[in-house]
Amino acid sequence: MSDSVIFSRRDFLKLVGVGVAGAAAGCGKPPAEKLVPYLVAPEDILPGVPYYYASTCRECPVGCGLIAKSREGRVVKLEGNAAHPVGQGGLCARGHAGLQGLYDPDRTATPLLRAGAAFKPATWEAATAAVGAKLAAAKGRVLVLTGHEPGALGALAGELASGLGGRHAQLEPFAHEAVRAANLKTFGVGAVPRYDIGAARCLVSFGADFLETFGSPVTQARGWAAMRADTTNGGGTFVAIEPRLSQTAANADEWVAVAPGGELPMALGMAHVVLAENLGPSVPERAALAAAVAAFTPEAVERQTGVKAADVTRLARLFARQSPPLALAGGIATQGPQAAALVAAVNLLNYVAGAVGRTLVFDRTMDYAGVASFAEVSALVQAMGGGAYDVVIVHGANPAYALPAWAGFAEAFAKVPFKVSLSSSMDETTALCDAVLPSLHALESFGDAHGTRGVHSLLQPAMKPLPMFDARPAGETLMALGRAAGIGAAWPAAWLDYLKAAWKPLHARLGNGRGFDDFWDDALKAGGVWEPAAAPPVRWNGAPAFAAVAPAAAGAVSLLVVPSNNFHDG
């Protein structure tokens, strides 16, 4: 057509640009903002030049190493620390989102004291004096509740509690209590082992969401990727046996759907086949172990789970012949009354198939030392309800949210005369307290973590505290409260000095002739120090008696309460 108009690409972009500009102008002119450059630039900040600080992620108990990227004095990105043994350069979605807590506008901005039904702002001096007076009057009746604090802060909380004649307890919903209990019974080591998934040729998960929240998900995900990449001789096979198609099971080669509780007879049935057909290495306890699982023939397992006997046999042969294998149990499968029995059954399967010491290794274990069991937590709740404590201090834990409602924590907590929270946010437990002394974010303060055997991690401030939040390091607050209550004369002047003193024994052992200052600086640069952790000799510690599992009744309904990789215990 002669009257057609042909636009070049450049003319089209010009026209679009004009249209967008006109549309923006039609919506109203945005307010002008004058940018003021540094009049006197700080010596340690160059505009436009990023700085990197090694630290430790505290979004979950694992404690992966991280690198914080900072620009113009503000942290802008978190990544994994490739030099750190935990995480090995990876960081989960929750770790990457750690900046949300740092820049949360709803952080508690100042100390608060309850006045009737509401809180009123207070100065640090007034709040510390008020809490200190309560602590001094309550000596012998003080409880300090913290999250899992495997480092100097946990030690300080224990010293504060003991100095006041009270008790320190650590609460952690993801302490894998059933795994530790079963490992103590079957192997004599009450810790969570290192699962070397990368070395496994066949992986079978009995409800363990190892790519989500169980164990050390970041490290395990890297191992899983390595296992999947090595497909020589049919290796790299992953089978998930669980009732729910979780994110972990969705990545399996085969998902075997069983009813809740069916994981236990499946593990014992596979162990029965391995022992009956001599598929694994020779073990001295073979006769006793075979007798322990004699009732769990493939046919019996089929009656209990609905999984065909031929499939039970096939999976057992696959597991034992693709050596070394690895079986996992934990996570959502270990929430019922058979939790420890399931882990013990999977330990038995690993033992008879030759996985122990090869893919199931007790070198860099997570021991969760000092974490209260659920039975101990229940006893604490009863003690609070019975008037055993006059003052309770809470830091790094939210039991009003994490504990089930039927545990009665909120009702018992309400009976404590004076309650103190060191939380930086108004969570469910903090809302029930009488005083709030907000703590700095982990990226704004010093700290440490020793959650994995042989791995000693450091936290350091990657930026100065945000000026709109009048918060202090939790360690500084605990020391101030102790002094206000009349104890802590032997403590150093500042929290950082306390932390350094706690690292003096590490310097004596790992300093390699360096002075402490050089050792400390090198540890800050690396994110910590790590030492070899030899695996202790592990053998079968006795064959437990496995009771037959009754099949689920027809039409029975089960409730699966599953954790979230993004919200953790949410």
Side-chain angles (χ1 to χ4, degrees):
M1 296 172 61
S2 60
D3 57 348
S4 63
V5 179
I6 300 177
F7 285 100
S8 68
R9 179 175 179 272
R10 180 173 298 177
D11 292 336
F12 174 77
L13 293 176
K14 285 181 181 179
L15 182 60
V16 171
V18 171
V20 171
C27 293
K29 185 178 180 180
E33 182 175 342
K34 187 176 181 181
L35 300 180
V36 181
Y38 287 120
L39 297 178
V40 179
E43 294 182 0
D44 57 344
I45 293 178
L46 292 177
V49 177
Y51 290 80
Y52 298 89
Y53 301 90
S55 191
T56 305
C57 181
R58 297 300 290 149
E59 292 294 322
C60 83
V62 176
C64 295
L66 64 78
I67 300 294
K69 179 182 179 181
S70 177
R71 295 178 69 99
E72 282 73 57
R74 292 290 181 262
V75 181
V76 298
K77 189 71 175 73
L78 302 178
E79 294 289 351
N81 182 356
H84 198 282
V86 182
Q88 303 169 5
L91 208 60
C92 71
R94 187 178 174 91
H96 279 291
L99 294 182
Q100 293 188 6
L102 175 63
Y103 295 116
D104 182 5
D106 293 327
R107 283 175 60 180
T108 303
T110 183
L112 302 172
L113 292 176
R114 183 173 292 281
F119 286 107
K120 288 189 176 181
T123 64
W124 272 98
E125 291 73 18
T128 302
V131 176
K134 294 288 185 179
L135 290 172
K139 284 188 176 180
R141 300 172 64 83
V142 175
L143 174 64
V144 180
L145 285 175
T146 68
H148 181 41
E149 291 291 348
L153 186 61
L156 176 60
E159 291 178 15
L160 174 65
S162 62
L164 295 170
R167 179 179 176 182
H168 171 220
Q170 299 183 54
L171 309 181
E172 174 48 56
F174 282 75
H176 309 302
E177 184 177 342
V179 175
R180 293 183 288 123
N183 287 340
L184 180 62
K185 184 176 181 62
T186 55
F187 295 133
V189 183
V192 178
R194 177 175 64 89
Y195 302 105
D196 193 354
I197 297 176
R201 308 299 293 125
C202 180
L203 175 66
V204 178
S205 170
F206 293 87
D209 52 340
F210 65 89
L211 296 178
E212 300 168 75
T213 59
F214 172 67
S216 180
V218 174
T219 305
Q220 291 160 183
R222 288 186 170 273
W224 176 79
M227 182 205 74
R228 298 291 277 174
D230 186 4
T231 58
T232 55
N233 299 322
T237 303
F238 172 32
V239 179
I241 302 174
E242 59 181 61
R244 165 180 170 263
L245 186 62
S246 64
Q247 174 182 317
T248 300
N251 286 279
D253 295 293
E254 182 178 356
W255 171 42
V256 180
V258 295
E263 301 95 336
L264 175 60
M266 281 294 297
L268 295 174
M270 291 173 63
H272 175 94
V273 173
V274 172
L275 288 166
E277 299 184 4
N278 291 317
L279 299 177
S282 176
V283 293
E285 307 89 350
R286 183 183 178 283
L289 296 177
V293 297
F296 294 89
T297 63
E299 293 73 21
V301 173
E302 179 176 355
R303 290 192 295 271
Q304 295 177 35
T305 65
V307 179
K308 293 182 179 180
D311 288 332
V312 177
T313 302
R314 174 180 59 83
L315 291 174
R317 291 170 178 171
L318 172 68
F319 182 75
R321 289 170 178 169
Q322 295 294 341
S323 183
L326 175 62
L328 298 176
I332 62 171
T334 52
Q335 292 182 343
Q338 296 176 337
L342 170 61
V343 181
V346 173
N347 284 348
L348 171 61
L349 176 60
N350 277 316
Y351 182 69
V352 299
V356 179
R358 302 171 69 190
T359 54
L360 184 72
V361 192
F362 288 89
D363 49 4
R364 294 207 182 279
T365 57
M366 295 187 291
D367 56 11
Y368 294 93
V371 175
S373 67
F374 189 78
E376 292 170 331
V377 172
S378 298
L380 281 176
V381 172
Q382 291 181 358
M384 281 191 293
Y389 300 105
D390 290 338
V391 178
V392 175
I393 301 175
V394 183
H395 170 66
N398 187 6
Y401 172 79
L403 296 179
W406 54 260
F409 174 83
E411 295 79 6
F413 197 53
K415 296 180 180 179
V416 177
F418 196 78
K419 305 169 285 293
V420 186
S421 173
L422 272 58
S423 174
S424 62
S425 62
M426 190 59 65
D427 57 34
E428 289 80 359
T429 303
T430 302
L432 302 175
C433 289
D434 302 290
V436 182
L437 306 176
S439 299
L440 290 174
H441 191 273
L443 294 170
E444 297 174 311
S445 56
F446 282 98
D448 65 344
H450 308 270
T452 299
R453 184 165 168 251
V455 179
H456 312 284
S457 304
L458 273 175
L459 288 78
Q460 65 171 317
M463 57 182 275
K464 293 181 179 179
L466 293 168
M468 65 283 294
F469 301 119
D470 187 14
R472 294 184 178 180
E476 205 78 49
T477 302
L478 291 178
M479 295 172 71
L481 293 180
R483 294 191 181 98
I487 66 168
W491 291 337
W495 160 243
L496 181 57
D497 296 327
Y498 183 98
L499 177 63
K500 287 184 176 181
W503 273 60
K504 291 292 178 68
L506 282 176
H507 167 248
R509 191 167 74 246
L510 305 173
N512 294 325
R514 293 169 291 174
F516 180 79
D517 290 340
D518 292 335
F519 168 77
W520 179 259
D521 290 343
D522 291 342
L524 285 178
K525 293 176 184 177
V529 294
W530 11 98
E531 55 185 328
V538 174
R539 61 183 301 274
W540 190 254
N541 204 35
F546 295 103
V549 181
V557 177
S558 299
L559 173 65
L560 289 178
V561 183
V562 299
S564 164
N565 188 38
N566 296 325
F567 299 105
H568 206 49
D569 62 339

